[in-house]
Amino acid sequence: MTETNQTPTAEDGTPIPSRFGTPLARLIPVDQGKGMPAGSPGAAPAVPGITETFYDAVGGHETFAKLVHVFYQGIAEDEILRPMYPDEDLGPAERRMTMFLEQYWGGPRTYLEERGHPRLRMRHMPFAVTPAARDRWLLHMRAAVDAVELSPLHEATLWDYLERAAHSLVNSGD
Ligand code: HEM
């Protein structure tokens, strides 16, 4: 039998998923035009045959709630970032971030129902997201990621996304 690069198909022409057929871009999509990840890698199984979402694999709501809670504990103490958050109570902001990340990674789609399309770049426009603000944001997020103690692969996947997302949201100079 000769090897070809063509997608194998069943008798009725349906493509047979290949173990190596899923481009990495589908696993970690980044919408470069808008500077934000476009879709949720967890919304549909990215790898044929693997149906568990990233959200489920890392422990579901409990993990995301803890991640974001630890992150906001850092924000609450941050002299540069805390004044950027308009509300006196950080609780509602914590909830929005939790809903967003849960949805992004394949969990409940409550964010969409309550807030609509994320449009994160637009939603950050009222705030001066400088490189310095980004670095402090990432500092607190790093502590939060460490606190949830994921497996090395899950941790690397999540961190890679958060770093890229934070870099893509910078909208002004220092
Ligand atoms: C780069 C540094 C960043 C800074 C300084 C920053 C700052 C802020 C501020 C001040 C708010 C308003 C708080 C609120 O009322 O919800 C906000 C909202 C939000 N941020 Fe960020 N952010 C940063 C990066 C990110 C990243 C990387 C993500 C996603 C991975 C993100 C996701 C969100 C979400 C989901 C909201 C709520 C949007 C809404 O529904 O209104 N932020 N951010």
Side-chain angles (χ1 to χ4, degrees):
M1 211 176 112
T2 47
E3 298 234 343
T4 74
N5 287 329
Q6 285 181 333
T7 308
T9 52
E11 278 174 27
D12 65 358
T14 315
I16 299 168
S18 149
R19 279 208 302 154
F20 306 106
T22 306
L24 191 60
R26 265 199 68 200
L27 297 173
I28 309 170
V30 175
D31 177 350
Q32 285 161 344
K34 298 199 182 75
M36 271 306 295
S40 159
V47 179
I50 296 179
T51 53
E52 190 184 41
T53 63
F54 184 92
Y55 172 82
D56 288 329
V58 300
H61 175 72
E62 206 181 307
T63 298
F64 283 90
K66 182 173 180 187
L67 174 80
V68 180
H69 188 66
V70 173
F71 170 72
Y72 270 97
Q73 283 179 328
I75 296 290
E77 301 295 320
D78 191 301
E79 286 171 13
I80 295 172
L81 293 186
R82 181 62 186 92
M84 287 174 69
Y85 286 77
D87 296 335
E88 197 168 314
D89 176 10
L90 285 175
E94 183 173 328
R95 180 158 186 275
R96 287 190 277 274
M97 176 70 98
T98 307
M99 289 189 302
F100 170 79
L101 288 176
E102 290 187 334
Q103 174 172 309
Y104 181 86
W105 292 104
R109 299 176 69 77
T110 324
Y111 183 91
L112 190 68
E113 284 163 23
E114 289 192 17
R115 306 287 296 161
H117 189 282
R119 297 185 202 285
L120 285 191
R121 217 174 140 74
M122 185 199 78
R123 289 195 206 260
H124 285 79
M125 283 306 174
F127 314 107
V129 182
T130 61
R134 172 202 65 205
D135 291 347
R136 294 202 71 80
W137 190 99
L138 281 169
L139 190 78
H140 299 302
M141 202 41 109
R142 185 65 246 178
V145 170
D146 288 344
V148 292
E149 297 181 332
L150 305 180
S151 73
L153 180 60
H154 289 134
E155 186 206 295
T157 304
L158 179 62
W159 183 245
D160 178 69
Y161 161 73
L162 290 166
E163 266 196 315
R164 285 165 188 243
H167 279 254
S168 78
L169 288 176
V170 171
N171 57 22
S172 55
D174 276 324

